Amino acid sequence: MSENSQFRFGAATGVGSMPGGEVREAVKTVTGSFEDFPFLPELPARGPGADMIGRTAGMLVELYARVEPSGWRIGDRPGRDTKRARSWLGEDLDALEEYTQGYEGPLKVQAVGPWTLAAHLELRNGEVALSDPGACRDLAASLAEGLRLHLAEVSRRVPGARLVLQLDEPSLTDVLRGRVRSASGYRTHPAVDRQLVESGLRDVFEVHDGGPVVVHSCAPDVPFALLRRAGAQAISFDFSLLTERDDETIGEAVESGTRLFTGVVPGTDGPLSDPAGSVMGVRTLWRRLGLRPGLLAEAVTVTPACGLAGASPEYARAAYAHCVRAARSLADNPE
């Protein structure tokens, strides 16, 4: 295992978003469910500025965004939308600080990654930033500085935490394959060169000063090898979307010390199987790859398949408890 694996991630955690708008209740649920790997929850039901694009846009430095009918658009100065996003993030950090007094261990914070942000955040002409290489560079630099400040603020509030930065990149595959639509909807923007994508990710990863970075995508065809080369210490994905053609890259990732955040619990309300059944596919994958069963607990963190913004609060609590029990099942019975 590589040096990256020496960081002790928790056995189970959540992805990020949760239902409802009561942040203290959400943080209480998270810290109560994941005692050894909590995270800062996101509550998009509160409205614009709490959604994933708006929340991250509020973190940007010297770039400001406002809500237009078509989505979030870069503007000249911080308006009410930016101020609202920053205010909500401040409230979230207040609640996190309250419920993590004395906590020591891994703590995860999430933000949208540079390429998904570029695929959704519009320039003044209405086209997304992805349409302009210079805008992509400026956006990534602004994001990196904003994340640096955000991580420093979380460290100040929860001094015993070892921070894990999760970057959400659900649009990354579309960026790589030229599937991001133009403002008119009649064409798509050209695919971005893979080396440029990799370099852009690496530049943002470096803001964490060697700390662990997780990249999350609940879309099909997650580019595991590219993310690993860029320096991601862990990759978070919807396990149900894997196919056997992913086997080789996943095996290489595990053997290099990359942690897998396996999304095995559905993200919306529905019946939950027994915890051992939820991770049966992970055990099957391990056997197929010929990996040592004892490596499972070292290499896997169990999560929901994606965020739980569309779930009920009751289901969210049940899903988190289920993740914890499923992770325990993997550790106790790896074969």
Side-chain angles (χ1 to χ4, degrees):
M1 301 287 280
S2 74
E3 287 184 15
N4 291 342
S5 65
Q6 300 307 307
F7 183 94
R8 292 189 63 83
F9 294 93
T13 192
V15 171
S17 66
M18 293 182 66
E22 294 295 329
V23 65
R24 293 182 75 257
E25 186 61 33
V27 172
K28 182 179 178 182
T29 296
V30 166
T31 54
S33 300
F34 302 114
E35 295 180 356
D36 63 351
F37 198 3
F39 62 95
L40 177 63
E42 302 159 353
L43 302 175
R46 290 184 294 193
D51 61 296
M52 64 183 242
I53 298 298
R55 184 180 179 91
T56 300
M59 297 181 189
L60 298 176
V61 173
E62 295 184 357
L63 282 179
Y64 312 105
R66 64 177 185 272
V67 178
E68 297 287 344
S70 55
W72 283 87
R73 182 173 297 180
I74 292 174
D76 296 321
R77 61 183 66 85
R80 65 180 182 181
D81 298 320
T82 297
K83 292 174 182 175
R84 183 169 55 232
R86 291 176 176 175
S87 175
W88 272 329
L89 181 57
E91 290 177 19
D92 298 348
L93 291 172
D94 288 343
L96 182 72
E97 183 177 3
E98 177 183 349
Y99 282 96
T100 54
Q101 293 292 315
Y103 175 74
E104 296 182 355
L107 171 66
K108 183 164 68 70
V109 297
Q110 305 84 218
V112 176
W115 294 107
T116 294
L117 198 61
H120 289 269
L121 192 58
E122 299 173 357
L123 302 175
R124 292 174 179 84
N125 64 4
E127 289 293 351
V128 292
L130 191 68
S131 65
D132 182 336
C136 288
R137 288 191 295 272
D138 291 345
L139 187 57
S142 175
L143 173 64
E145 184 57 27
L147 289 173
R148 191 190 314 278
L149 295 172
H150 179 54
L151 290 166
E153 176 67 7
V154 179
S155 291
R156 184 185 69 78
R157 290 172 177 261
V158 193
R162 289 175 286 123
L163 296 186
V164 177
L165 173 62
Q166 176 181 305
L167 293 175
D168 296 324
E169 284 283 11
S171 298
L172 184 57
T173 301
D174 288 343
V175 168
L176 290 166
R177 296 187 177 179
R179 297 195 302 224
V180 176
R181 292 205 165 273
S182 65
S184 68
Y186 293 122
R187 63 180 181 85
T188 57
H189 296 288
V192 180
D193 180 83
R194 297 181 77 88
Q195 289 186 323
L196 185 60
V197 169
E198 184 181 323
S199 173
L201 288 169
R202 188 180 298 112
D203 288 346
V204 176
F205 293 175
E206 288 175 354
V207 75
H208 197 14
D209 294 329
V213 176
V214 184
V215 177
H216 168 74
S217 174
C218 48
D221 300 320
V222 175
F224 288 92
L226 183 151
L227 294 174
R228 186 164 58 86
R229 289 194 305 270
Q233 284 89 340
I235 301 172
S236 170
F237 56 96
D238 181 343
F239 189 82
S240 71
L241 298 178
L242 287 185
T243 66
E244 290 196 17
R245 69 172 180 268
D246 296 310
D247 281 8
E248 184 177 350
T249 54
I250 289 180
E252 290 172 353
V254 172
E255 289 176 347
S256 73
T258 305
R259 187 136 183 133
L260 304 181
F261 282 43
T262 55
V264 298
V265 177
T268 53
D269 291 41
L272 294 169
S273 67
D274 69 286
S278 292
V279 288
M280 187 180 301
V282 180
R283 292 191 181 93
T284 300
L285 172 66
W286 235 244
R287 287 194 293 271
R288 200 163 68 228
L289 296 177
L291 294 169
R292 179 169 54 86
L295 191 60
L296 270 169
E298 297 176 37
V300 170
T301 293
V302 176
T303 73
C306 204
L308 300 182
S312 67
E314 295 76 20
Y315 178 81
R317 287 190 289 271
Y320 289 160
H322 194 88
C323 287
V324 172
R325 289 195 293 268
R328 192 173 301 129
S329 169
L330 269 186
D332 292 346
N333 302 291
E335 299 187 65

